[in-house]
Amino acid sequence: MGIYLNPRNDNFKEFLNSEIFVDKTMILSVLNGIMKTSQKYICISRPRRFGKTYAANIISSYYSKGCDSRELFERCKISKDASFESNLNKFNVIKLDINSEYRNTANKNNLISEMTADIRDEFIEQFPSIAFTQRDSLAKCILKVFDKTGEKFVILMDEYDVLVRENVEQDLFNQYLDFLNGLFKSDTLRPAIALAYLTGILPIVRDKVQSKLNNFDEYTILNAGKLSEFTGFTTEEVRELCLKYNIDFEECRRWYDGYSLVWFEDGKKKECEIYNPESVVKTMLNHKFFNYWSKTSSYEVISDRLNQNFASTKDDVIKMIAGEDIDVNVTTYKNTINAFTTKNDIFTYLMHLGYLSYDDSKETCRIPNKEVLKEWTNAVSVTSDYSVTDSIINSSKELLDETINGNESTVAKALDESHIHVTSNRSYNNEDALQSAIYLSYIYALNKYTVVREMTAGKGFADVVFIPFVENMPAMIIELKRNDCAESAIKQIKEKRYFDSLSSYRGNLLFVGINYDEKTKKHECRIEKLEV
């Protein structure tokens, strides 16, 4: 019935009518179980285009008294749930898109007062028997309705953190804090709220904002809990779409997967892989893998952070581009956009924005997938301190061609530079470091190969295997030696029959033996071709 108060279900109806609709309505079963309890305050943070607004529209359409959504939801999973009837279109819903309001307010300092006035007008229209005044805050309006009717409210606030991300003037920020305080810190108002659901890109800021929202349970990209599967596409959902649209699932996984969420529920460990919905949908509709991320975000977010150049940031970034995981402490970050004191703060910030993924069990982070890797290589290309890294990346296509053509000296020379670049003097002789150097040197190969380190093969483990997923490309098995000879590496590939692991592959095989000398820091390369 209103824009803000008891909105209609048009947005959800539009989603249902779209060519691709992935049913996330079972989020309502979870919310029905916690509304009207002390867990009714929820804040969920995810990167851009991960489905936060989509979920908010589902919630609004289900709870809002301003529409009849039965027919829409009867087509969805939630209609079979035992809780479906209990709350369908039975609550007063207040739905706010703070980002939209901020963008569309000419005088930003009037944002809160103008937004409050617009919502208050809708209260006056929808509750004509209740006396509202021009001084009433939103919290006061809610309290008056609850006092007279006993009706509870569901508050949905999308992009709650936009004023934090925009780093607005202090006066506006203080107004916003008062607004949040009135809604969520009032013990008098608490009984009138059945559910409060906030979304944002960043978790709750750990200073003044946290004091206003410290009664909220947070579900972040680092700790998504029982809401993990409802914001972002799951592996099963993506697999079904790939089957329907005749898209290679494994290639889709390489491009858009990489966000692994782990949580415990009823004492049991649960895991969920999450994909970027925007990129997956566009891939299905366009039938083309592409860096769709760049359409909604910018690599400058990364390059701006790299320019801060905290201690050992560069070393870790190079390792991640080379395919490694790096240790990270996510507990120091204050959830702001400017109060960074260490590389850990920067990496944690980039996790929340989706540019890195987090492994909770190992406490490490990594670049999640091929799409996001392109954003990192773009950022490196415009950051002066990473000129050598950029040069290696740009030379990787040529190096792959030289390898296929059997130019051993060119390969050895390229690894001389890359191996030194990705390591320190102390770690140079670590075999993992050489594997990372190879990964970085051949980074272009990710467009044509799946790269597997320490692959179970034949009678042992092949150091690095390149398995092509495009036609007319040779598979490659790389074996590493130290203070030995490249011929010995080739011999080991043959004797241990590492090529047996490629029995289903038909085409040319390249055996690449690489030896490096600890003292001279020089590499030797031998390449043999085998027709299978």
Side-chain angles (χ1 to χ4, degrees), residues 71-84:
E71 184 177 348
L72 298 180
F73 281 104
E74 282 178 346
R75 300 156 55 183
C76 302
K77 295 177 182 177
I78 187 62
S79 65
K80 306 297 191 297
D81 189 79
S83 71
F84 176 61

Side-chain angles (χ1 to χ4, degrees), residues 49-117:
R49 302 302 183 183
F50 261 68
K52 300 185 297 295
T53 300
Y54 170 51
N57 283 323
I58 289 175
I59 297 167
S60 173
S61 299
Y62 174 75
Y63 289 117
S64 175
K65 295 175 67 174
C67 54
D68 181 355
S69 299
R70 179 178 298 278
E71 184 177 348
L72 298 180
F73 281 104
E74 282 178 346
R75 300 156 55 183
C76 302
K77 295 177 182 177
I78 187 62
S79 65
K80 306 297 191 297
D81 189 79
S83 71
F84 176 61
E85 295 287 348
S86 60
N87 296 313
L88 179 62
N89 300 132
K90 294 181 179 178
F91 288 89
N92 293 303
V93 169
I94 298 173
K95 185 171 182 287
L96 304 176
D97 182 343
I98 303 300
N99 182 54
S100 176
E101 295 302 310
Y102 178 76
R103 304 298 172 196
N104 294 318
T105 300
N107 186 340
K108 306 302 184 189
N109 284 329
N110 293 336
L111 170 65
I112 304 302
S113 59
E114 289 186 13
M115 184 171 64
T116 300

Side-chain angles (χ1 to χ4, degrees), residues 173-191:
F173 195 68
N174 288 338
Q175 292 179 47
Y176 187 52
L177 293 179
D178 289 341
F179 178 73
L180 295 176
N181 187 66
L183 285 175
F184 304 123
K185 293 295 289 183
S186 168
D187 195 57
T188 304
L189 190 61
R190 174 183 284 269

Side-chain angles (χ1 to χ4, degrees), residues 451-478:
V451 182
V452 184
R453 303 187 192 189
E454 298 293 338
M455 179 174 173
T456 302
K459 300 176 182 179
F461 297 89
D463 286 329
V464 188
V465 178
F466 289 71
I467 305 172
F469 52 79
V470 299
E471 295 181 355
N472 302 318
M473 295 297 295
M476 296 193 299
I477 299 175
I478 299 179

Side-chain angles (χ1 to χ4, degrees), residues 1 4-7 63-66 89-94 123 126-127 145-146 149-155 192 194-195:
M1 290 191 295
Y4 308 99
L5 177 60
N6 293 325
Y63 289 117
S64 175
K65 295 175 67 174
N89 300 132
K90 294 181 179 178
F91 288 89
N92 293 303
V93 169
I94 298 173
F123 268 87
Q126 294 188 37
F127 299 97
V145 172
F146 179 68
T149 68
E151 296 179 6
K152 293 178 178 285
F153 284 75
V154 171
I155 300 177
L195 176 71

